[in-house]
Amino acid sequence: MNVDLSIFYTSLVSIALIIGLGWFTGRRGWIDERTNKALINLLLSVVWPCALVTSFPNEFSMQSLNSFLWGVGGGVAVLVVMILISRLLFRKKRHPKHYFEYQFAFIFNNASFLGFPLVSTIYGQEGLIPYAGFILIFNLALFGYGTMLFREKFTWRDVGRTFLNPCVIAVFLGLILFIFSLKLPVFLDKSLGYVGAMMTPMSLICIGFMLSRAKLLQILRRRILMWTCVAQLILDPLVTFLVLKILGAPADVVQILVLIQALPTATSLGLFAEKYRGEAGSASELVALSTVLSAITLPLLMWGMFNLFGL
């Protein structure tokens, strides 16, 4: 799967403009906190699941199935390694108050709100197949291990709930339709496509709104936040590249998963902090700082991946 870097950079600029629109609407007061939360809930519960269902091809092929399975296997390997590294870098003894936030920020990136728009724009539906495999594992880890980090306990009931996540269900549904070459009625297929198409603009506007509320000058003075973001933005894609090359993953899968792992910290970090700890201050700051810094690190890392490593 050959990718023209000019397409990648053009896509980044387009995405940055939509994020800028979200920032502008936030600064003007056209979107407030309550509206943004409602949009995020709509995205996670309805829009993203619809986009994932329609990400699979209509006709079964072994090549597509292998690509999906590589996304699953690569996701398992990468996330296990990230969890282990996070526990070494951000130990509870050194950061007793916020270690779980730093570990979460290192492990989980914005594979949803930024990952889907980038992969779909640059690679098309062909790239969304391994993406869907990775996202299946990502969401199981996010709502499993991610929840455990904040709650410090996890029951078998919680395990069951991770499999009932709308995005997890959507991937399984799309996989079943793909394997058996089942076709939805035209009206239903078009409806899912229309709703899923909202994923890119809505998610980017939400990110822009979040940045409109960030006080970057104050955030930059906090060294631990800077260290966490730099570690996440640089180590994650480099370790992902090494893990996948050791496993012998296809070049297209390596490209897509490295791209995903080069993205900033997941916006769900702030949501988890507010839900389970009652405050999202430093968590939201991590997300904002990581998103801003990724504007520098992401193009450089992707340039290196294509030009230095010949992917």
Side-chain angles (χ1 to χ4, degrees):
M1 185 185 295
N2 295 321
V3 176
D4 187 344
L5 272 179
S6 64
I7 297 176
F8 170 74
Y9 294 129
T10 300
S11 301
L12 280 185
V13 173
S14 300
I15 286 173
L17 287 175
I18 302 176
I19 291 175
L21 175 62
W23 178 87
F24 179 76
T25 56
R27 297 296 293 180
R28 294 285 294 180
W30 296 345
I31 297 179
D32 57 15
E33 295 284 353
R34 184 175 180 180
T35 303
N36 192 58
K37 286 182 180 180
L39 288 175
I40 290 175
N41 286 331
L42 183 63
L43 279 166
L44 294 177
S45 302
V46 179
V47 178
W48 194 20
C50 289
L52 289 172
V53 170
T54 57
S55 65
F56 289 88
N58 292 325
E59 299 293 336
F60 174 79
S61 72
M62 282 303 302
Q63 181 179 356
S64 295
L65 180 60
N66 287 335
S67 184
F68 173 82
L69 293 177
W70 267 112
V72 172
V76 171
V78 167
L79 288 172
V80 167
V81 172
M82 293 306 166
I83 289 173
L84 293 175
I85 294 176
S86 72
R87 295 175 71 90
L88 291 174
L89 292 179
F90 307 103
R91 298 185 179 185
K92 186 175 182 179
K93 290 182 179 180
R94 292 190 62 186
H95 312 284
K97 291 185 178 181
H98 297 286
Y99 77 94
F100 50 90
E101 291 181 350
Y102 304 148
Q103 288 185 16
F104 187 104
F106 183 84
I107 300 166
F108 301 107
N109 52 56
N110 212 334
S112 53
F113 289 4
L114 271 177
F116 186 92
L118 271 175
V119 173
S120 61
T121 302
I122 298 170
Y123 297 96
Q125 188 178 50
E126 186 179 354
L128 288 175
I129 300 171
Y131 170 84
F134 176 83
I135 283 300
L136 174 62
I137 303 303
F138 179 88
N139 278 308
L140 290 174
L142 177 67
F143 294 100
Y145 186 78
T147 301
M148 184 179 71
L149 279 175
F150 279 86
R151 295 180 59 183
E152 296 185 329
K153 62 179 180 178
F154 203 64
T155 66
W156 285 108
R157 180 178 296 181
D158 295 318
V159 174
R161 287 174 181 169
T162 61
F163 284 93
L164 295 178
N165 178 269
C167 293
V168 173
I169 294 174
V171 172
F172 279 120
L173 177 59
L175 182 62
I176 291 172
L177 294 174
F178 162 66
I179 290 176
F180 294 101
S181 296
L182 299 176
K183 294 185 178 180
L184 296 171
V186 175
F187 71 90
L188 181 56
D189 185 60
K190 284 186 175 294
S191 297
L192 289 173
Y194 291 147
V195 175
M198 295 190 295
M199 179 66 191
T200 295
M202 283 182 63
S203 62
L204 298 177
I205 287 173
C206 287
I207 292 174
F209 172 82
M210 174 201 67
L211 292 177
S212 73
R213 293 296 186 266
K215 298 179 180 178
L216 290 177
L217 292 179
Q218 294 182 16
I219 297 173
L220 289 171
R221 297 192 186 103
R222 300 183 61 185
R223 292 183 180 179
I224 181 60
L225 298 186
M226 180 67 76
W227 155 243
T228 303
C229 292
V230 170
Q232 182 255 328
L233 291 170
I234 295 178
L235 285 181
D236 277 23
L238 293 179
V239 171
T240 298
F241 177 82
L242 291 174
V243 170
L244 294 178
K245 294 300 287 185
I246 291 172
L247 293 176
D252 58 333
V253 174
V254 176
Q255 287 182 24
I256 292 168
L257 266 60
V258 169
L259 171 61
I260 293 173
Q261 290 300 107
L263 297 175
T265 296
T267 52
S268 53
L269 172 59
L271 301 177
F272 275 50
E274 186 172 348
K275 180 177 181 180
Y276 296 115
R277 298 283 175 152
E279 59 90 20
S282 59
S284 296
E285 291 173 347
L286 271 170
V287 175
L289 181 58
S290 179
T291 302
V292 171
L293 291 177
S294 69
I296 301 172
T297 59
L298 181 57
L300 291 175
L301 284 167
M302 296 308 293
W303 178 88
M305 184 173 71
F306 285 107
N307 289 281
L308 300 180
F309 299 103
L311 286 179

